């Protein structure tokens, strides 16, 4: 019923209805617009958005919108008023300065009148509008006056709404707004301290105070005086925090917990600011004491309602309930540990704090149900992910870790004593028939694992936990084999043993067979899923620790581990599927002979998982790792994989296949090729033609990247077959397509290495016109390329061609005209190449690429002396320096880079040698500096090598080339086999510059050459 072409309001000359008219009744036309904006119909919304865009700057529209949004008498339902406030906020943010003065004044008045809005669904948006008006419109004295009146003279509701608005302004407005609202802190303090104020109002006052104080601290340089005033007022506010934790007799339990939660949460926030810690020292203990007392009082009810009964997660959904209070108190203690002043308050109290808080870490009935129904949730918790229903448990784990890190001796003694106490209580309660006693034992095992996990065996034996270690291991070992034990207790026992894997292997190696046997039995399909998951992880951890082949074979076959893993994998998803695939990889590596006996079953299982994992790239990568491990381990497994997997691969390479399936098939095909016997035969060889056809028709970047890798592997492994089958020309056609304008940079990401290999293997047979065509395509693509890596690799290909036949390349490009972009004309090929090369030379940073391109520039510079065309060439215009000087400048820049790289490497080694080793002492962290203020001894850049400068670790090279990854890396193999990879570029550049026959005319360039050569020469023979 509205027309987006017609204004909803008058023009500037015709301001539309008066404000009196707008207040008289519902604004029907505006209501229709807002209704359309909320419509589920896309066309209706589009039309309404067009109408809004055409009308929002007309005179009177903002006033009408503010009236409709803020006035209950507008007749609009809450959802439409929400939409009106949203539109108003955007309008103010984008067009406030363009509004008529009357509209701006009307908007401000409407917002002021609506500060005490009854609907909580509207107040947040309304306060956001207030913030935007203040930020866009500047000083607003009437706002401060209205807020002050509401705080001092208004009802409890009005005061509460004003506090909400103050909080929003302080959180978004910055230091200027905070200073403006500074006088309101005193009336808010009176409200917060008054026992007659409702608990909700007192909580909101605390939030507002914290917002203002943190704003002053964050901008302390801009508001030093205001900060000092705020700090001076902190003690009475801390007294209010303590009063909220103590509560009032007439408060409900919910109000008491909610107020304590707000006080503790705010203190946690404040204690993270280093300038505030000294001011908090005296006020923290009066807050902690009643907060801890309240936590102690609610433990019994929490145990009964949450730990021993399934509340369906209700306790976790409560924003300020008992669970949140306990978790927040744990986080406050962690925050206090960061600074020595606050940390001192915790000394000699660690044990009592843990005794108070740790009982809340027992697994709840809701968690039991969730973990039993979905072991993925259990796995996520084991990996310290933030998962639903585990706030207290995870906060407790972090708290124990922080206590052990900052108060080492006291915390270790307290935690070890607490574990002993929990183990004894759990066993005593079990004997007395308590059905939930196992939760205490499970908590003891969890705490022990948190405390000692990651500790070396030697350090563990010397620590407070050394004496407890045999007891914990014995308890866990007994529970693993006890089918009568609760499922989650058994799962925890397996998890603890896995976490203490090094200690188990070192201290009780004789128990490993029994432990593996228990894990194998617990993997059986008849066992609960959560037990099977934990047993699977433990089994794989300890399988690598035994060398008894008959034992491993018996476990895998007779105990049915392989069968159990297969059944577990077929029904798994998410974390569980990742776990089972990882476990199977471990078993394949460790027990290859046994796996060969079930080769066909394994291949069939892999096919099932692979076909079902195409939508999950992470699972797909794990499947490829598994195939690679199996293929590398035994040729019989490779043949089985080919027989079972290749028919599906060939189907997915056909034109009618889904692109995702084809991309996945290309990856799998590549892994199988890398381990196949040559010459390639059977189904593997049958896949080559469909692969080439797929490259010629596909536009999907990831697929084409993978296809390049596969074609590189084909050319590397069986070049003679490529020639005999007449595939060289089709592969060159693939290169032509990848270099063409129809694909984005991602699609041709690896065309450089592929073309390099084709030229290496078959280039001697290419006619001159083919090479010229390739050069033309390379320069054309280089001119269009945006990705630095692609630019680099294309330059590498051209540089190699220059090394092989410089006169031919120069002639071919000098006679070519290359189109840069449509409608931009063309340029001489050689001039364009050198322009792009010199412009991007500093972006070439990979080791091999630097070596290839810079040495090619050296040869090109030498060529300038005998080639009149190059000598007279002016790249980028006649005003540019001669080509020889520009080439020389790029070569010198490369040497300067090499000098800097070597200098940084030397400094890094020296810095690493000067760093003292980590003290394993038992000090209690009595450092004079705050932990977050200590200077970092190592910078991130110290750990980052420049691209691939350093030689790869031998283990990594072995992993990539012998089956640890997805069949090795074709590009890695190419680089390692390249003679340029081991070239000493620094030495080569120095030798070249030292033998210059003609001094450059540019004196600045001469000075750079002299300095760079001197620095490199001073480094010694090895440079």
């Amino acid at each position: 019923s509205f027309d987006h072409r017609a204004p909803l309001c008058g023009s500037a000359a015709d301001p539309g209805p008066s404000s009196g008219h707008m207040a008289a009744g519902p604004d029907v036309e505006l209501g229709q617009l807002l209704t359309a904006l909320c419509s589920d119909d896309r066309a209706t919304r589009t039309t309404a958005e067009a109408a809004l865009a055409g009308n929002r700057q007309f005179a009177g529209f903002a006033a009408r919108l503010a009236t409709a949004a803020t006035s209950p008498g507008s007749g609009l339902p809450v959802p439409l008023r929400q939409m009106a406030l949203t539109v108003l906020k955007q309008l103010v943010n984008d067009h406030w300065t363009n509004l008529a003065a009357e509209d701006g004044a009307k908007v401000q008045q409407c917002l002021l009148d609506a500060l005490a809005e009854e609907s909580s669904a509207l107040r947040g948006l309304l306060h956001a509008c207030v913030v935007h008006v203040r930020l866009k419109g500047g000083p607003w004295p009437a706002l401060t006056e209205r807020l002050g009146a509401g705080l001092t003279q208004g009802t409890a509701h009005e005061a509460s709404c004003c506090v909400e608005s103050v909080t929003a302004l302080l959180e978004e407005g910055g230091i200027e707004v905070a200073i403006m609202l500074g006088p309101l802190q005193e009336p808010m303090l009176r409200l917060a301290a008054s026992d007659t104020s409702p608990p909700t109002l007192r909580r909101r006052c605390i939030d507002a105070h914290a917002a203002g104080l943190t704003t002053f601290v964050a901008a302390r340089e801009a508001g030093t005086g205001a900060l000092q005033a705020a700090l001076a007022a902190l003690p009475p506010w801390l007294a209010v925090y303590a009063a909220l934790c103590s509560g009032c007799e007439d408060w409900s339990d919910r109000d008491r917990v909610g107020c304590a939660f707000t006080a503790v949460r705010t203190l946690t926030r404040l204690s993270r600011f280093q300038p505030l810690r000294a001011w908090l020292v005296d006020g923290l203990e009066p807050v902690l004491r009643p907060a801890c007392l309240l936590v102690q009082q609610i433990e019994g009810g929490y145990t009964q309602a949450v730990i021993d009964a399934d509340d369906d997660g209700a306790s976790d959904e409560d924003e300020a309930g008992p669970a949140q209070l306990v978790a927040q108190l744990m986080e406050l203690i962690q925050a206090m540990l960061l600074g020595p002043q606050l940390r001192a308050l915790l000394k000699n109290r660690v044990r009592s704090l843990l005794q108070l808080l740790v009982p809340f870490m027992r697994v709840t009935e809701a968690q039991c149900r969730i973990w039993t129904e979905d072991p993925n949730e259990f796995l996520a918790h084991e990996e310290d992910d933030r998962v639903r229903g585990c706030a207290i448990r995870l906060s407790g784990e972090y708290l124990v870790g922080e206590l052990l890190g900052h108060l080492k001796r006291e915390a270790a003694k307290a935690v070890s004593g607490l574990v002993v106490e929990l183990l004894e209580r759990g066993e005593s309660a079990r004997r007395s028939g308590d059905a939930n006693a196992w939760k205490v034992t499970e908590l003891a095992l969890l705490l022990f694992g948190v405390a000692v996990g990651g500790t070396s065996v030697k350090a563990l034996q010397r620590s407070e936990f050394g004496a407890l270690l045999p007891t914990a291991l014995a308890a866990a070992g007994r529970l693993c084999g006890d089918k009568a034990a609760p499922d989650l207790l058994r799962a925890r026992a397996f998890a603890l043993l896995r976490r203490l894997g090094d200690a188990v292997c070192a201290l009780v190696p004789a128990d490993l067979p029994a432990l593996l046997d228990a894990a194998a039995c617990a993997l059986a399909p008849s066992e609960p899923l959560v037990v099977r998951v934990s047993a699977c992880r433990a089994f794989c951890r300890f399988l690598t620790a035994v060398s008894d082949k008959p034992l491993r074979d018996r476990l895998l076959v007779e105990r049915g581990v392989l069968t159990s893993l297969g059944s577990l994998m077929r029904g798994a998803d998410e974390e569980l599927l990742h776990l089972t695939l990882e476990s199977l990889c471990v078993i394949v590596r460790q027990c290859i002979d046994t796996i060969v006996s079930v080769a066909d079953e394994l291949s069939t299982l892999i096919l099932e998982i692979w076909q079902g994992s195409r939508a999950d790239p992470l699972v797909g990568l794990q499947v490829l790792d598994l195939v690679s491990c199996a293929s590398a381990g035994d040729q019989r497994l490779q043949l089985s994989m080919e027989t079972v997997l290749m028919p599906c691969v060939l189907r997915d390479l056909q034109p009618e296949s889904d692109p995702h399936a084809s991309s996945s098939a290309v990856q799998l095909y590549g892994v199988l090729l890398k381990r196949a016997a040559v010459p390639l035969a059977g189904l593997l060889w049958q896949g080559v033609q469909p692969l080439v056809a797929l490259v010629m028709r596909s536009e999907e970047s990831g697929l084409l990247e993978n296809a390049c890798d596969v074609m590189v592997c084909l050319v590397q492994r069986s070049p003679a077959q490529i020639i005999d089958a007449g595939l060289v020309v089709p592969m060159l056609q693939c290169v032509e397509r990848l270099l063409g304008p129809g694909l984005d940079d991602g699609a041709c990401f690896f065309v450089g290495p592929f073309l390099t290999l084709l030229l290496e293997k078959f280039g001697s047979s290419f006619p001159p016109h083919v090479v010229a065509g390739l050069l033309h395509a390379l320069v054309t693509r280089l001119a269009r390329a945006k990705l630095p890596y692609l630019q680099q690799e294309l330059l590498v290909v051209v540089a190699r061609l220059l090394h092989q036949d410089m006169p031919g390349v120069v002639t071919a490009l000098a006679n070519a005209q290359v189109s840069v972009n449509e409608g931009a004309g063309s340029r001489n090929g050689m001039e364009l190449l050198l322009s792009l090369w010199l412009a991007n030379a500093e972006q070439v940073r990979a080791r091999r690429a630097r070596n290839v391109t810079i040495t090619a520039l050296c040869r090109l510079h030498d060529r300038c002396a005998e080639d009149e065309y190059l000598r007279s060439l002016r790249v980028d215009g006649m005003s540019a320096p001669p080509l020889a000087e520009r080439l020389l400048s790029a070569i010198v820049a490369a040497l300067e880079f090499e000098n800097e790289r070597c200098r940084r490497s030397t400094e890094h080694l020296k810095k690493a040698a000067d760093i003292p080793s980590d003290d394993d002492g038992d000090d209690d962290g009595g450092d004079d500096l705050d932990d977050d203020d200590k200077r970092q001894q190592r910078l991130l850049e110290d750990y980052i090598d420049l691209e691939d400068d350093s030689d790869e670790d031998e283990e990594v090279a072995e992993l990539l080339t012998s089956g640890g990854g997805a069949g090795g890396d074709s590009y890695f193999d190419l680089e390692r086999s390249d003679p340029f990879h081991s070239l000493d570029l620094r030495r080569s550049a120095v030798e070249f510059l030292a033998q210059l026959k003609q001094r450059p005319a540019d004196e600045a360039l001469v000075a750079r050459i002299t300095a760079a050569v001197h620095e490199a020469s001073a480094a010694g023979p090895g440079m």
Side-chain angles (χ1 to χ4, degrees):
S1 60
F2 58 85
D3 184 351
H4 71 273
R5 295 169 297 181
L8 290 175
C9 297
S11 64
D14 178 17
S18 67
S19 59
H21 172 75
M22 288 186 288
D27 191 330
V28 177
E29 191 177 19
L30 183 58
Q32 291 172 346
L33 174 63
L34 296 171
T35 302
L37 288 171
C38 296
S39 174
D40 294 331
D41 180 67
R42 183 175 181 179
T44 302
R45 285 200 315 275
T46 301
T47 304
E49 288 165 0
L52 175 62
N55 285 277
R56 58 186 175 184
Q57 293 192 63
F58 278 104
F61 180 72
R64 289 176 65 186
L65 191 63
T67 301
T70 60
S71 173
S74 65
L76 296 179
V78 168
L80 293 190
R81 292 179 66 191
Q82 288 176 321
M83 175 58 71
L85 286 168
T86 302
V87 173
L88 180 63
K89 181 180 70 171
Q90 186 176 2
L91 189 152
V92 168
N93 191 57
D94 297 340
H95 304 290
W96 178 262
T97 55
N98 298 325
L99 293 182
E102 296 82 359
D103 279 351
K106 181 62 178 179
V107 170
Q108 289 180 328
Q109 190 59 49
C110 287
L111 293 175
L112 290 177
D113 292 342
L115 281 177
E117 168 64 46
E118 292 289 340
S119 173
S120 59
L122 295 172
R123 281 202 302 273
L125 284 169
L126 189 143
H127 297 320
C129 289
V130 171
V131 172
H132 280 272
V133 170
R134 172 59 183 82
L135 295 180
K136 293 294 181 178
W140 188 0
L143 173 63
T144 308
E145 294 175 7
R146 183 66 64 92
L147 291 172
L151 293 174
T152 57
Q153 303 170 26
T155 64
H157 170 73
E158 291 170 341
S160 183
C161 292
C162 289
V163 172
E164 286 185 51
S165 186
V166 169
T167 304
L169 286 161
L170 290 171
E171 289 178 344
E172 302 292 337
I175 185 65
E176 181 185 350
V177 173
I179 292 174
M180 177 193 76
L181 298 177
L184 301 183
Q185 291 290 334
E186 184 177 348
M188 285 195 297
L189 175 60
R190 289 198 298 269
L191 288 172
S194 174
D195 289 342
T196 61
S197 297
T200 301
L201 174 56
R202 300 178 74 175
R203 292 171 59 186
R204 287 176 178 165
C205 288
I206 284 183
D207 288 336
H209 168 254
L213 184 56
T214 54
T215 299
F216 288 132
V217 174
R220 54 183 179 271
E221 294 181 0
T224 304
L227 173 60
Q228 292 302 317
L231 291 174
L234 186 56
W237 276 105
L238 292 177
V240 171
Y241 293 4
L244 289 190
C245 289
S246 300
C248 295
E249 294 182 359
D250 59 342
W251 283 2
S252 66
D253 292 341
R254 182 176 182 80
D255 283 337
R256 291 201 63 188
V257 172
C259 287
F261 168 77
T262 300
V264 173
R265 181 187 62 187
T266 305
L267 272 179
T268 304
R269 179 183 178 185
L270 298 181
S271 62
R272 298 189 187 281
F273 288 88
Q274 190 273 337
L276 297 180
R277 290 173 185 160
W279 293 83
L280 295 175
V281 171
D282 294 334
L284 259 178
E285 187 168 351
V287 178
L288 280 175
R289 191 180 302 112
C292 291
L293 180 60
L294 179 59
V295 169
Q296 183 180 21
Q297 292 170 349
I298 65 177
E299 181 194 344
Y302 185 82
T303 298
Q304 183 178 1
V306 180
I307 293 178
D308 293 345
D310 188 349
D311 68 342
D312 198 26
S315 60
D316 297 306
E317 301 299 329
D318 192 345
E319 295 183 357
Q324 286 67 35
L325 172 60
V326 175
Q328 194 61 61
L329 185 56
M330 291 176 171
E331 293 186 21
L332 172 59
I333 296 171
Q334 293 178 63
M336 293 173 64
L337 289 168
L338 295 177
Q341 295 167 305
L342 301 184
R343 185 164 58 232
L345 299 177
L346 300 174
K347 288 187 176 182
N348 302 319
R349 299 180 180 182
V350 173
R351 181 177 178 84
S352 59
L353 285 172
L354 288 176
Q355 286 177 323
L356 171 70
L357 298 172
V358 161
F360 290 90
M361 292 175 62
R362 286 171 291 173
V363 61
T364 68
E365 280 298 303
Q367 289 167 1
C368 291
R369 174 177 50 78
I370 292 171
W371 290 348
T372 301
E373 293 174 353
D374 186 4
N376 288 304
E377 294 284 338
F378 178 75
L379 285 174
H381 176 266
E382 290 299 289
E383 297 301 325
D384 288 339
D385 290 338
R386 285 287 181 181
V387 292
R388 181 170 61 91
C390 297
I392 291 182
R393 202 167 171 90
L394 287 175
S395 294
E397 292 179 29
Y398 296 147
L399 174 60
V400 170
E402 291 297 318
L403 286 169
L404 289 169
H406 293 281
L407 299 171
K408 299 177 182 178
R409 185 188 305 117
E410 182 184 354
K413 188 174 182 180
V415 174
S416 60
L418 189 57
V419 170
V420 172
E421 180 182 328
L422 290 172
L423 287 172
E424 293 174 351
R425 281 177 49 197
E427 181 62 20
S428 175
R430 184 187 67 81
R431 290 174 180 170
S432 65
D434 186 350
N436 291 306
W438 68 270
K439 295 183 179 181
V440 179
T441 305
E442 191 271 346
L443 178 57
L445 298 181
L446 173 70
L447 284 179
F448 189 75
V450 170
V452 303
T455 307
S456 67
V457 177
K458 185 177 180 181
L460 179 56
Q461 289 178 301
R462 294 199 312 263
S463 70
E464 292 281 350
F465 301 98
L468 181 56
L469 185 59
T471 302
L473 293 181
R478 174 180 57 79
L479 290 169
C480 287
D482 184 3
K483 292 190 176 184
D487 299 344
L488 287 175
L489 181 56
R490 291 179 66 196
R492 174 58 54 206
F494 278 118
L496 175 63
L497 292 175
R498 173 182 171 273
R499 195 164 193 171
L500 302 181
D502 291 344
V504 172
C505 295
L507 302 179
V508 287
D511 293 344
L512 289 179
L515 176 55
L516 284 168
D517 190 73
C521 293
L523 263 168
S526 58
E527 292 283 353
L529 198 53
V530 69
V531 175
R532 297 176 71 191
V533 167
S534 201
C536 179
R537 304 180 91 191
F539 182 87
C540 292
R541 169 63 183 88
F542 295 113
L543 183 67
T544 60
V546 297
S547 56
D548 187 346
K549 183 178 180 299
L551 170 64
R552 296 190 299 191
D553 292 346
R554 179 176 61 83
L555 290 169
L556 292 174
V557 180
E558 295 179 16
R559 284 295 191 184
V561 169
L562 292 177
T563 303
S564 299
L565 264 181
S567 67
L568 190 60
M569 192 178 298
R570 286 187 172 93
D573 61 358
E574 299 180 14
E575 298 291 336
L576 182 52
L577 184 54
H578 293 301
L579 168 63
T580 51
L581 285 168
E582 180 183 340
S583 302
L584 198 51
C585 278
V586 171
I587 293 172
V588 168
R589 289 193 187 102
Q590 296 294 317
C591 311
I592 193 67
D593 293 335
T594 305
I595 294 297
V596 169
S597 65
V598 292
D600 291 342
E601 291 86 346
L602 176 64
S603 300
T604 302
L605 176 62
I606 290 175
L607 177 61
E608 292 179 24
I609 302 302
W610 175 63
Q611 289 178 318
S613 67
R614 289 168 179 163
D616 189 336
L618 293 180
V619 174
L621 289 175
Q622 283 188 295
V623 170
L624 296 179
D625 280 341
L626 179 56
V627 172
S628 177
C629 291
S631 301
D634 194 285
Q635 189 61 29
R636 290 168 290 181
L637 283 174
Q638 167 73 25
L639 293 174
S640 176
M641 298 284 181
E642 292 177 18
T643 303
V644 175
L645 299 177
M646 276 307 299
C648 186
V649 170
L650 292 175
R651 285 195 302 272
D652 288 343
L653 293 178
Q654 300 308 310
E656 62 273 10
S657 296
D658 177 77
H660 292 292
S662 296
S663 182
S664 181
V666 170
Q667 288 183 293
L668 183 55
Y669 185 34
V671 173
L672 292 171
L673 280 173
K674 290 170 185 176
R675 301 301 179 191
V678 290
L680 302 172
L683 296 176
L684 276 177
W685 183 247
Q686 293 177 27
V688 179
Q689 290 282 8
L691 174 70
V692 172
L694 179 62
V695 173
M696 292 302 294
R697 68 174 181 269
S698 177
E699 297 183 356
E700 202 277 316
S701 298
L703 185 151
L704 293 173
E705 288 181 19
N706 294 326
C708 279
D709 179 61
V710 176
M711 290 191 290
V712 165
C713 179
L714 284 166
V715 175
Q716 277 183 308
R717 303 211 63 213
S718 194
Q721 279 186 282
I722 299 296
I723 295 175
D724 294 342
L727 289 170
V728 175
V729 172
M731 286 190 171
L732 284 175
Q733 291 172 341
C734 290
V735 170
E736 181 183 15
R737 182 169 191 272
L738 292 170
L739 290 174
L743 300 174
D744 61 24
D745 281 5
C748 56
F749 207 59
F750 296 120
V751 68
F754 178 42
L755 179 53
T756 297
L757 185 62
L758 289 177
L759 291 168
E760 176 189 332
K761 298 293 185 182
F762 315 122
S764 59
S765 64
F766 291 172
H769 73 276
V770 171
V771 176
L774 287 173
L775 283 167
H776 187 282
L778 282 166
V779 176
T780 303
R781 186 74 216 196
L782 179 61
R784 295 171 176 164
K786 303 298 183 185
L787 295 177
Y789 177 81
L790 179 59
Q791 296 168 343
Q792 169 185 286
E793 292 305 310
L794 294 177
L795 287 173
V796 167
V797 178
V798 177
R800 285 186 182 280
L801 289 170
L802 284 169
H803 278 292
Q804 294 169 11
D805 181 16
M806 181 167 293
V809 171
V810 172
T811 301
L813 289 177
N815 295 325
Q817 289 295 313
V818 177
S819 176
V820 181
N821 288 303
E822 292 185 13
S826 60
R827 293 179 62 181
N828 176 270
M830 193 66 194
E831 181 185 348
L832 178 58
L833 168 67
L834 291 171
S835 175
L836 295 168
W837 194 338
L838 294 172
N840 292 284
E842 292 186 358
Q843 305 304 317
V844 178
R845 285 295 178 249
R847 177 181 189 171
R848 176 186 55 90
R850 293 200 314 272
N851 293 350
V852 175
T853 56
I854 298 303
T855 52
L857 290 180
C858 292
R859 294 193 60 189
L860 199 57
H861 182 274
D862 289 340
R863 180 76 181 177
C864 288
E866 57 190 71
D867 190 314
E868 177 61 27
Y869 168 74
L870 291 176
R871 189 164 55 250
S872 61
L873 187 63
R874 288 292 192 273
V875 178
D876 299 325
M878 295 304 296
S879 61
L883 177 61
E885 284 197 15
R886 296 196 63 184
L887 293 173
L888 201 55
S889 179
I891 295 167
V892 174
L895 179 57
E896 291 169 341
F897 174 80
E898 293 296 319
N899 289 338
E900 180 187 2
R901 180 182 63 81
C902 295
R903 186 166 58 251
R904 289 175 60 187
S905 177
T906 302
E907 292 172 355
H908 168 56
L909 293 174
K910 183 178 182 300
K911 188 180 296 185
D914 292 342
I915 294 175
S917 60
D918 190 16
D919 188 9
D920 191 29
D922 290 329
D923 67 310
D924 282 342
D927 209 334
D928 290 336
L929 292 176
D930 284 350
D931 294 352
D932 53 1
D933 279 350
K934 291 181 180 178
R935 283 191 168 275
Q936 297 296 321
Q937 291 179 303
R938 305 178 186 180
L939 301 176
L940 179 60
E941 64 183 19
D942 294 335
Y943 295 94
I944 301 178
D945 205 352
L946 296 171
E947 298 295 339
D948 56 348
D949 288 326
S950 61
D951 290 335
E952 287 80 3
D953 187 273
E954 292 301 324
E955 294 181 4
V956 176
E958 178 70 17
L959 183 70
L960 287 171
T961 56
S962 64
D969 188 306
S970 300
Y971 307 121
F972 176 86
D973 295 340
L974 280 177
E975 291 196 7
R976 298 292 291 188
S977 62
D978 191 337
F980 282 101
H981 179 79
S982 56
L983 182 141
D984 187 342
L985 181 59
R986 198 181 190 194
R987 178 185 296 277
S988 298
V990 168
E991 292 175 353
F992 169 79
L993 294 171
Q995 297 173 5
L996 284 177
K997 296 178 181 179
Q998 184 175 355
R999 177 188 176 90
D1002 186 346
E1003 293 299 327
L1005 181 58
V1006 173
R1008 287 176 59 199
I1009 293 173
T1010 303
V1013 171
H1014 180 269
E1015 180 178 351
S1017 302
M1023 293 190 186

CSV table of all heavy atoms in Angstrom, one decimal, residues 156 386 444 477 536 610 721 870 1008:
chain,number,residue,atom,x,y,z
A,156,ALA,N,12.2,3.3,41.3
A,156,ALA,CA,13.3,2.2,41.1
A,156,ALA,C,13.4,1.8,39.7
A,156,ALA,O,14.5,1.6,39.2
A,156,ALA,CB,12.9,1.0,42.0
A,386,ARG,N,35.6,-25.5,24.5
A,386,ARG,CA,34.5,-24.9,25.3
A,386,ARG,C,33.2,-25.6,24.8
A,386,ARG,O,32.7,-25.2,23.7
A,386,ARG,CB,34.5,-23.4,25.1
A,386,ARG,CG,35.5,-22.7,25.8
A,386,ARG,CD,35.3,-22.7,27.3
A,386,ARG,NE,36.3,-21.9,28.1
A,386,ARG,CZ,36.2,-21.8,29.4
A,386,ARG,NH1,35.3,-22.4,30.1
A,386,ARG,NH2,37.2,-21.1,30.0
A,444,ALA,N,38.8,-37.3,41.2
A,444,ALA,CA,40.2,-37.4,41.7
A,444,ALA,C,41.2,-37.8,40.5
A,444,ALA,O,42.3,-37.2,40.4
A,444,ALA,CB,40.3,-38.5,42.7
A,477,GLY,N,44.2,-48.5,36.4
A,477,GLY,CA,44.4,-49.8,35.8
A,477,GLY,C,43.3,-50.8,36.2
A,477,GLY,O,42.8,-51.5,35.4
A,536,CYS,N,40.0,-46.6,22.8
A,536,CYS,CA,40.7,-46.5,21.5
A,536,CYS,C,41.9,-45.6,21.6
A,536,CYS,O,43.0,-46.0,21.1
A,536,CYS,CB,39.7,-46.0,20.5
A,536,CYS,SG,40.4,-45.8,18.8
A,610,TRP,N,35.6,-42.9,2.7
A,610,TRP,CA,35.9,-41.9,1.7
A,610,TRP,C,34.7,-41.4,0.9
A,610,TRP,O,34.5,-40.2,0.8
A,610,TRP,CB,37.0,-42.4,0.7
A,610,TRP,CG,37.3,-41.5,-0.4
A,610,TRP,CD1,37.9,-40.2,-0.3
A,610,TRP,CD2,37.0,-41.7,-1.8
A,610,TRP,NE1,38.0,-39.7,-1.6
A,610,TRP,CE2,37.4,-40.5,-2.5
A,610,TRP,CE3,36.4,-42.7,-2.6
A,610,TRP,CZ2,37.3,-40.4,-3.9
A,610,TRP,CZ3,36.3,-42.5,-3.9
A,610,TRP,CH2,36.7,-41.4,-4.6
A,721,GLN,N,56.1,-43.2,-20.5
A,721,GLN,CA,54.7,-43.5,-20.8
A,721,GLN,C,54.0,-42.3,-21.3
A,721,GLN,O,53.1,-42.5,-22.2
A,721,GLN,CB,54.0,-44.1,-19.5
A,721,GLN,CG,54.3,-45.5,-19.2
A,721,GLN,CD,53.5,-46.0,-18.1
A,721,GLN,OE1,53.8,-45.8,-16.9
A,721,GLN,NE2,52.4,-46.8,-18.4
A,870,LEU,N,68.9,-5.0,-25.9
A,870,LEU,CA,68.8,-4.9,-24.4
A,870,LEU,C,69.4,-3.7,-23.9
A,870,LEU,O,68.9,-3.0,-23.0
A,870,LEU,CB,69.4,-6.2,-23.8
A,870,LEU,CG,68.6,-7.5,-24.0
A,870,LEU,CD1,69.4,-8.6,-23.3
A,870,LEU,CD2,67.2,-7.4,-23.4
A,1008,ARG,N,75.8,1.5,-2.7
A,1008,ARG,CA,75.1,0.3,-2.2
A,1008,ARG,C,75.8,-1.0,-2.6
A,1008,ARG,O,75.9,-1.9,-1.7
A,1008,ARG,CB,73.7,0.3,-2.9
A,1008,ARG,CG,72.7,1.3,-2.4
A,1008,ARG,CD,71.4,1.2,-3.1
A,1008,ARG,NE,70.8,-0.1,-3.1
A,1008,ARG,CZ,69.9,-0.6,-3.9
A,1008,ARG,NH1,69.5,0.2,-5.0
A,1008,ARG,NH2,69.4,-1.8,-3.8
